[in-house]
Amino acid sequence: MAPGRIPLLGHTPSLLRRPLNFVNSQRDRGPIVRFAVGTKTFYLLNDPALTRELLIDQGSDRGPFTKRGMLLDHVRRMVGNGLGTSDGDLHHRQRRMIQPMFRKQRINSYVDTMRETTLAQIQGWSPGRRLDFPDEIGVLVATILTGTVCGPGLANDVSREVTRDIRAAARGVGLRGMLPAAMTRLPLPGNRRFEAALSRLHAVIDQMIADTRARDLDRGDLLSLLLAARDEHGSPMSDQQIHDEVVSIMVGGLESSVTALSWTLSAVADDPEIDHRLHTEAVTVLDGRPGPSVADLPQLDYTRRVFTEALRMWPPGWLLPRRATTDVKLGGFLIPAGSYAVYSPYVLNHDPQLFPDPERFDPDRWLPGAITKDATDAFFTFSGGARKCMGDNFVMTEAVVVLATIAARWQLRRTTEPPPRPRPKAVLTPSDFHLTATPRPSA
């Protein structure tokens, strides 16, 4: 058992005060460490092999672990029974139906939308402008998402509303995961903000679905594909299931991308050498064009490494639980039914045995000759197995397009304030920060 347990509260105070320090401090205590949140028992997996066994060897839809319980119950209040929260036969059915929508060819068809949306936003920047992050990236990613999910034409004010409501609801979900259930039902200001954000978000999604049905035209967007999808028996998704899948895609796609891109731009702004290399690659590959095409993506290798390193240092999903539905063993350790096996990409990604000098932001650690197989095998930032995030290629493609487009035209530098601090809620968001935009000489 981890030290510092308090009767009835368990280790909740330590998790609320300094959550990253708490989970990171358990790494050297052994491959698996037991701790408590209230009266619930958790087993933190510090070993990549145990994590792989949890996610891949025993991570099937019908396996002994489920995502239901604790944080995921609160997430389900937000996104319903979409792919990210469903399990069992429903998850298996939905994954088979949705998987084709995230194949490489389909994602490549969104590159033009990603590029043009980025260009439209950064053209509104001016020299010396002080940009607010993560809000600046939040609006950009929300506009990209709404363009790919339901086609072009959604007004910017609607994209801003979606961004605001998703982020407000996501913050509420993260806090709820650490509080007794009774407190989440009290008429407190935070609870009222959470419920209001949810109500507005679901209303916007319902309107998107209604508008797409009304136009009766497949423009290649994800919502059109969801409406047309059929399972192996020829049955479509129900209206509620389509709603839940859209919310799940929007919430998952927004929070992970906004968080990762904000951390990336913050790190680049603090390192002139990385900024120079990123800019040089962008202008060389683009050769005078304003942003990348699909054909340019394989050549933007350094850009991809920069983003991957940000994902390593600040993985959006930093602590992820699986509840045991029956007594089960992981690597010889007994996980009793009803307790939770927990893995932390943050802990694994900061293990000096896997990633030497783990607190240094070093994109070149991802060069083919530098990264070890043990490190790549332990990189579970997008989870793994049957529940591996299907949007990983979308997020990576979006990031490369956005970063290359910005780097070719603008240099971002930190103002006088210190770098952002991690805020471990539902995702590992940075605290608010500001960067100043300066046009590149060649722009």
Side-chain angles (χ1 to χ4, degrees), residues 177-416:
M178 299 292 182
L179 295 176
M183 289 191 66
T184 68
R185 295 190 288 269
L186 296 175
L188 301 173
N191 290 339
R192 290 199 298 268
R193 286 193 297 270
F194 176 77
E195 296 297 336
L198 275 189
S199 179
R200 290 192 301 266
L201 175 63
H202 288 300
V204 170
I205 298 300
D206 283 339
Q207 189 60 53
M208 289 180 183
I209 294 172
D211 291 346
T212 302
R213 283 193 184 279
R215 73 171 183 249
D216 193 26
L217 176 66
D218 181 2
R219 295 188 293 188
D221 53 87
L222 283 169
L223 184 47
S224 295
L225 297 174
L226 288 169
L227 291 167
R230 298 293 184 270
D231 64 16
E232 63 268 30
H233 305 296
S235 301
M237 299 181 203
S238 67
D239 285 351
Q240 184 61 52
Q241 193 64 46
I242 290 172
H243 173 100
D244 291 353
E245 297 300 353
V246 172
V247 177
S248 186
I249 290 169
M250 293 288 290
V251 170
L254 181 69
E255 280 298 288
S256 58
S257 291
V258 170
T259 295
L261 279 168
S262 295
W263 281 120
T264 305
L265 291 171
S266 174
V268 172
D270 287 336
D271 194 312
E273 180 184 352
I274 292 176
D275 174 73
H276 173 73
R277 292 178 64 182
L278 194 66
H279 170 65
T280 299
E281 179 178 81
V283 296
T284 301
V285 172
L286 301 184
D287 193 25
R289 288 172 286 116
S293 65
V294 171
D296 298 320
L297 298 182
Q299 302 177 68
L300 293 167
D301 184 63
Y302 186 71
T303 306
R304 184 178 300 270
R305 297 204 307 275
V306 167
F307 185 66
T308 304
E309 178 67 348
L311 289 172
R312 181 194 69 80
M313 288 199 68
W314 304 285
W318 64 282
L319 190 66
L320 302 166
R322 296 286 190 271
R323 184 170 62 84
T325 58
T326 184
D327 289 354
V328 59
K329 285 190 174 182
L330 282 178
F333 296 93
L334 176 66
I335 309 296
S339 59
Y340 293 81
V342 184
Y343 70 101
S344 172
Y346 182 88
V347 171
L348 295 176
N349 294 353
H350 288 254
D351 186 341
Q353 299 300 315
L354 296 168
F355 301 96
D357 196 5
E359 304 308 316
R360 182 166 64 94
F361 190 85
D362 179 15
D364 285 341
R365 75 170 74 242
W366 295 98
L367 285 168
I371 194 73
T372 66
K373 185 178 185 301
D374 286 345
T376 55
D377 285 350
F379 193 64
F380 294 109
T381 295
F382 290 106
S383 190
R387 290 192 170 275
K388 186 176 187 293
C389 176
M390 284 198 306
D392 57 346
N393 287 328
F394 183 99
V395 170
M396 183 62 71
T397 300
E398 175 187 53
V400 170
V401 172
V402 168
L403 292 172
T405 304
I406 292 175
R409 301 173 67 87
W410 291 93
Q411 182 183 57
L412 299 180
R413 282 287 178 264
R414 189 170 312 284
T415 59
T416 56

Side-chain angles (χ1 to χ4, degrees), residues 21-274:
N21 283 25
F22 175 79
V23 295
N24 225 16
S25 68
Q26 307 307 313
R27 182 192 299 115
D28 295 333
R29 297 184 60 82
I32 185 166
V33 176
R34 184 161 56 101
F35 68 95
V37 175
T39 59
K40 293 182 170 61
T41 302
F42 289 75
Y43 293 84
L44 177 63
L45 310 181
N46 293 317
D47 180 63
L50 290 178
T51 306
R52 177 168 292 276
E53 184 177 348
L54 171 72
L55 297 178
I56 299 175
D57 299 341
Q58 303 201 52
S60 71
D61 295 322
R62 300 172 181 85
F65 291 97
T66 177
K67 293 182 76 173
R68 291 181 181 271
M70 288 295 288
L71 182 59
L72 261 293
D73 287 345
H74 296 296
V75 173
R76 190 173 284 106
R77 277 277 292 115
M78 183 178 179
V79 304
N81 219 16
L83 193 62
T85 54
S86 60
D87 54 14
D89 291 339
L90 176 60
H91 181 268
H92 183 73
R93 173 184 184 263
Q94 290 302 110
R95 192 172 183 93
R96 285 171 63 92
M97 294 176 74
I98 295 173
Q99 188 114 39
M101 305 176 197
F102 288 89
R103 288 175 179 159
K104 183 177 180 181
Q105 184 177 2
R106 176 64 63 177
I107 293 172
N108 285 347
S109 71
Y110 301 136
V111 167
D112 289 349
T113 297
M114 296 171 178
R115 180 189 64 247
E116 296 306 315
T117 304
T118 305
L119 285 170
Q121 178 148 334
I122 67 176
Q123 282 170 358
W125 294 356
S126 57
R129 178 178 171 182
R130 191 170 180 258
L131 302 171
D132 299 327
F133 288 89
D135 288 347
E136 190 73 27
I137 287 298
V139 173
L140 171 58
V141 171
T143 307
I144 291 173
L145 265 177
T146 53
T148 55
V149 170
C150 53
L154 199 70
N156 283 341
D157 58 342
V158 178
S159 293
R160 290 180 183 274
E161 179 182 334
V162 168
T163 304
R164 182 182 66 248
D165 291 339
I166 288 178
R167 296 190 67 210
R171 285 193 292 269
V173 165
L175 182 60
R176 279 165 152 70
M178 299 292 182
L179 295 176
M183 289 191 66
T184 68
R185 295 190 288 269
L186 296 175
L188 301 173
N191 290 339
R192 290 199 298 268
R193 286 193 297 270
F194 176 77
E195 296 297 336
L198 275 189
S199 179
R200 290 192 301 266
L201 175 63
H202 288 300
V204 170
I205 298 300
D206 283 339
Q207 189 60 53
M208 289 180 183
I209 294 172
D211 291 346
T212 302
R213 283 193 184 279
R215 73 171 183 249
D216 193 26
L217 176 66
D218 181 2
R219 295 188 293 188
D221 53 87
L222 283 169
L223 184 47
S224 295
L225 297 174
L226 288 169
L227 291 167
R230 298 293 184 270
D231 64 16
E232 63 268 30
H233 305 296
S235 301
M237 299 181 203
S238 67
D239 285 351
Q240 184 61 52
Q241 193 64 46
I242 290 172
H243 173 100
D244 291 353
E245 297 300 353
V246 172
V247 177
S248 186
I249 290 169
M250 293 288 290
V251 170
L254 181 69
E255 280 298 288
S256 58
S257 291
V258 170
T259 295
L261 279 168
S262 295
W263 281 120
T264 305
L265 291 171
S266 174
V268 172
D270 287 336
D271 194 312
E273 180 184 352
I274 292 176

